[in-house]
Amino acid sequence: MTFAFQPFAAPERRSSARKHSFATLASVVLLSWLVSGCAPAEPGTKGPANSPSAATSTTAAPVSACTDGTAGKLPLPTEWQAVSTSPGASAGSTTSTSSTQAGPTTVDTSGITLPIVAATPTPALPTTVLSCDGVQVSVTDVSRIVTIDLHGTLTEIVYGLGLGANVIGRDRAADFPQAKNATIVTPTGHDLNAESITALNPSVIFTDTTIGPLEVQEQLRAVGIPVIFFDPSRTMNGVSHQITAVAGALGIPDAGVELNKLVGADMVAALSMVPRDATPARIAFLYVRGTAGVYLMAGPGSGADDMIKAAGAADVGTDIGLKMPFTPLTSEALIKAAPDVLLLMSGGLESVGGAEGLFKIQGIAQTPAGANKRVIDVADGTLLSFGPRSGQIIKALSLAIHGNSK
C-alpha cells in the first residue's frame, strides 16, 4: 500500500487547557494541511460498570497516555542500549564507506516483520486513561478499535500487542500486511470524517494531534465514543512509552511488557551493528511531493533526525541549525548544508520523477550528494512509524547508508 503523507500538525485546541496539553504542536504548524474490514474478535472484554473488576480498576491510578507531555523527554531504556557483538560489527567501528558511495539506493524493507506477542491477551476492563488533552476517559470495551494517527504508530502497536483482530478502522500510514483488512478511515491521506468513523460503530478510538481536523475527534467524543489522545511526538526514546501507554489503556499491561522485550531485542541487535564513523555521513531528509509542489527539509523534532542518528549518520537539518521539524527547501540552504546523502520516502522520490528528476531540482546538483547521485529512498510508512518495527527499520536504513547490505 502506498503511504500518503499527512500533516504534522493540527489546528490548536479551543480551550486554554487543551492548548497547554498540545503545546508540542506549535513548532510544526508549518506543515499542517500542506500534505496531504476484518471481523472483530469476540468481545469477551467488556466489564459491567458495577462488577468487582470495575471497582478494582476505578480505584487504580489512571493510565497516562502522555506522561509529562512529550515521550521524547524519556530516556532510552537501559536494556535497549547497543551491546558489542564483535570488533568488526559493534557500534563504534569505523568501517563505513557511506561517504564514498555513489548512485541511488533503496532501503531493503522486505525482511522487516511486525513483532507480535505470543498469545492473544485478555483485557482487564474497565481502564481509566488520562488522555493527552487532560480528559479522563473510561474504556469499557475494546472489541471494535479505531486507530488513527499520522504515522500508523498506534495501529502498529495494537497489532503488536495481539489485539489486531479487534481493529476495525485505521489510517493509511499503517501499511504493514496484518492491517490490510481493517477499513481505512483516512482515504485522502489526512482528513478525518466523523460520519465514516461512526458508521464503523467503534467501541474506542486511539488517536493523537498529528491528524485531524481536531473538531472531528471532538465530535466523536461528543456522541459518546471514548476517544484517547496519545503522545504526538515520535522519537526513539518514546517507543517503549507508547507501547506501555497503549497496553495500559487496553487493559493488557503484561502484553506491553512482553512487546517491549521483543522490540528491545531488535533495538539492541540494530544499534550494535551500526558503524560509528569518526566523520559520519551527513544526511538531509527531504519531504517532497512534486505533484503538490511541496519541498521541505527536515530538522530537529521531525523524527527523521532520530532515525538518521540511530543509523550512524548526522542529520543535516539539525547540523545547520534549523529550528522547525520541517522547513521549506531552498537552493541556497541546500548548497550551504552540503549533504553527502539525500534521504526521501519512496513515494516522494517517485513524485519528482525518480532520482533523475530529483537531481534536476535547483541546488541539488551543487551538493556532494548531487555530485555523487547519492540518494536513498525508503518505503512510505516505515521511516517515521516509531512503533514495534523500529529496531528492524534502523538496521535496514543503516545497511543502505553504510553499504554493507550484501
Side-chain angles (χ1 to χ4, degrees), residues 97-314:
T97 58
S98 57
S99 61
T100 61
Q101 291 186 78
T105 302
T106 296
V107 176
D108 183 5
T109 59
S110 61
I112 294 176
T113 59
L114 177 65
I116 301 176
V117 298
T120 302
T122 300
L125 299 173
T127 60
T128 301
V129 184
L130 183 59
S131 175
C132 277
D133 61 344
V135 175
Q136 194 162 286
V137 180
S138 177
V139 179
T140 61
D141 184 354
V142 296
S143 64
R144 300 182 64 81
I145 307 169
V146 169
T147 47
I148 38 177
D149 70 271
L150 172 65
H151 310 290
T153 309
L154 297 172
T155 306
E156 189 174 321
I157 291 174
V158 173
Y159 274 83
L161 290 168
L163 291 185
N166 295 30
V167 176
I168 57 169
R170 62 175 174 91
D171 50 72
R172 286 188 66 180
D175 62 352
F176 52 94
Q178 291 88 342
K180 66 180 180 179
N181 290 327
T183 300
I184 297 175
V185 296
T186 56
T188 63
H190 62 261
D191 289 332
L192 299 179
N193 179 276
E195 289 75 19
S196 64
I197 296 174
T198 55
L200 296 175
N201 190 29
S203 60
V204 66
I205 295 172
F206 289 177
T207 188
D208 65 24
T209 52
T210 63
I211 200 165
L214 293 181
E215 285 78 4
V216 172
Q217 285 104 318
E218 291 173 343
Q219 292 173 30
L220 295 168
R221 188 179 272 171
V223 299
I225 303 171
V227 176
I228 299 171
F229 286 91
F230 288 87
D231 203 312
S233 65
R234 294 292 181 269
T235 65
M236 292 306 305
N237 296 1
V239 173
S240 62
H241 163 66
Q242 288 278 36
I243 291 172
T244 299
V246 172
L250 291 169
I252 50 173
D254 289 347
V257 173
E258 181 182 348
L259 182 57
N260 268 324
K261 288 181 179 178
L262 296 174
V263 177
D266 283 344
M267 199 72 70
V268 169
L271 297 179
S272 296
M273 58 77 64
V274 172
R276 302 294 176 184
D277 289 352
T279 305
R282 301 178 70 255
I283 298 182
F285 176 67
L286 306 182
Y287 176 74
V288 299
R289 281 296 182 264
T291 52
V294 177
Y295 298 87
L296 303 165
M297 181 188 295
S302 65
D305 56 334
D306 259 18
M307 295 298 289
I308 290 170
K309 180 180 178 181

Side-chain angles (χ1 to χ4, degrees), residues 39-122:
E42 289 296 323
T45 57
K46 189 171 182 179
N50 59 353
S51 68
S53 61
T56 301
S57 177
T58 55
T59 58
V63 173
S64 175
C66 229
T67 61
D68 62 357
T70 306
K73 293 180 181 178
L74 301 173
L76 190 69
T78 302
E79 66 272 19
W80 287 19
Q81 303 297 324
V83 294
S84 178
T85 55
S86 67
S90 63
S93 67
T94 57
T95 58
S96 170
T97 58
S98 57
S99 61
T100 61
Q101 291 186 78
T105 302
T106 296
V107 176
D108 183 5
T109 59
S110 61
I112 294 176
T113 59
L114 177 65
I116 301 176
V117 298
T120 302
T122 300

